[in-house]
Amino acid sequence: MTKEILDNYREDDSLNQSFLKSVGVNNPKAKKSDSESIATMKGSLCDILVTTPELQEEFYYFSKLEKAPPPQVKECLDNAFEITQEWDLYLLLEQFRLVSNLKSKDDVILEKLRLHEDYWQDLINGQGKKVITNDYYSICSNAAYIIKNHEFTKHHFENTLFADIQYQVPIYDVIEFVVNGVKYIVKRKGLLDLLVIDEAHKTVQIKDLKTTGATPDEWFRQARQFNIPFQMAWYYDIVEKLYPNYRQLMPELIVYSFAAPSKPFTKVMTIDDLHVGRNGINLQKSFVEYDGGVVEPISERIMGWEECLSR
C-alpha cells in the first residue's frame, strides 16, 4: 500500500457506502459533537497505526505539544485554517462562535484563543496534514499495540502458511441497478482495513477495525445506530464480484474500546446482518398508549444499501 494508491481511491468518483448512507435517508446528517469528532480522529489514526504504520507521517503531522487545545478551540482553529493561514483573531472568534454556545465576552474568548498560537503554527508546519499532539498519539499508539498483541485479537494480524493478509485494500466494481423500470449504471468503491486471502482453500474474508468510546456492553447496545450491516453488506457484495471463484467467509469486526482498553473483542457478522445491510429492517423502538388503552408500536427504519440506492 502506498499513499498514492490511497489518494487515488479518495479522488475516484465512484460511490462509497459512507456517502450513500449519509444522503440516502430523509434526515440530513447531524453535525458531529466534540466527542464524536475526537473519536473519529482517534479511530482514523488507530487504523493507520495498525494497518499501515509506514504511512503515518504521510497523513499526519506529529506535534511536540503535549496536549491538544480543548475540542471546541481545536475545531475553530482547524476551521479557520482552512480559510486562511494568517493568524486572524477576529476570524477565529467568528469560527469559535459557530462551534460553541459559550456566552463569555469576546475579550475573554480572544485571550483563550491566544493561548493556542503554538497549535496554529503546527497547522502551518503540517502543510495540510492532520495535526496529532502527544496526548492523542500516546492513546492511539497504545491502542494499536494492544490490538496487535492481545491474545483475543493478535491472530488476525499473523500471516499463516496459506493465508495472506492485505491492508487498506481499495475495491471497485460496476453494477446495473433498476429503479422504477429505469436502468442505472453505478460505480461502487470501498476501502477494506484487512482482506485475508487463502489461496490454498480458496477463501476470502473481510476484517474491519472499529474503535469506540463506549464500553463493550454499551457498544453492542449502540451498534444499531451506526448501521454497521450496511457497510459490511456493501463491502461483501463488491468482494463477491471480485473473487467469483473463492468462498467468502462472513466479515469479522475487530473492536477496540477506549473505555475498556484491555478488552478488545471481535464480532462475526451473520447472513441475517448482511440481509439487513442490503434490504433494511423495521425495528420496534417503543410503544405509545392512547386514551382508552389502545397501544400502538413505534417502529424505526434501519435502511439497507439497496433501499438507499433506489432513492
Side-chain angles (χ1 to χ4, degrees), residues 20 40 75 135 138 146 148 157 175 213 239 269 292 300 306:
L20 177 63
T40 299
E75 184 176 1
D135 50 350
S138 176
I146 291 174
K148 297 188 77 169
F157 306 95
I175 60 171
V239 169
M269 306 300 287
E300 177 184 11
E306 290 189 1

Side-chain angles (χ1 to χ4, degrees), residues 202 204 238-248:
K202 290 295 179 183
V204 62
I238 297 177
V239 169
E240 192 78 356
K241 288 190 65 178
L242 297 179
Y243 292 87
N245 298 321
Y246 289 70
R247 178 171 61 91
Q248 187 171 182

Side-chain angles (χ1 to χ4, degrees), residues 100-115:
S100 173
N101 294 321
L102 193 64
K103 302 300 182 183
S104 300
K105 294 181 178 179
D106 288 355
D107 58 340
V108 174
I109 294 175
L110 288 171
E111 189 59 35
K112 290 181 181 294
L113 293 173
R114 286 190 183 97
L115 298 176

Side-chain angles (χ1 to χ4, degrees), residues 39 42-43 46 139-140 143 211-214 256-261:
K42 291 194 294 187
C46 283
I139 291 169
C140 293
T211 58
T212 177
Y256 177 86
S257 165
F258 290 107

Side-chain angles (χ1 to χ4, degrees), residues 55 71 115 129 152 175 180 208 212 269 296:
L55 296 182
L115 298 176
K129 298 177 183 178
F152 293 165
I175 60 171
N180 297 325
D208 194 70
T212 177
M269 306 300 287
E296 180 179 321

Side-chain angles (χ1 to χ4, degrees), residues 36 61 84 129 186 193 224 235 240 281:
E36 289 174 325
Y61 175 80
T84 178
K129 298 177 183 178
V186 180
D193 289 334
R224 184 179 68 190
Y235 290 169
E240 192 78 356
I281 190 173

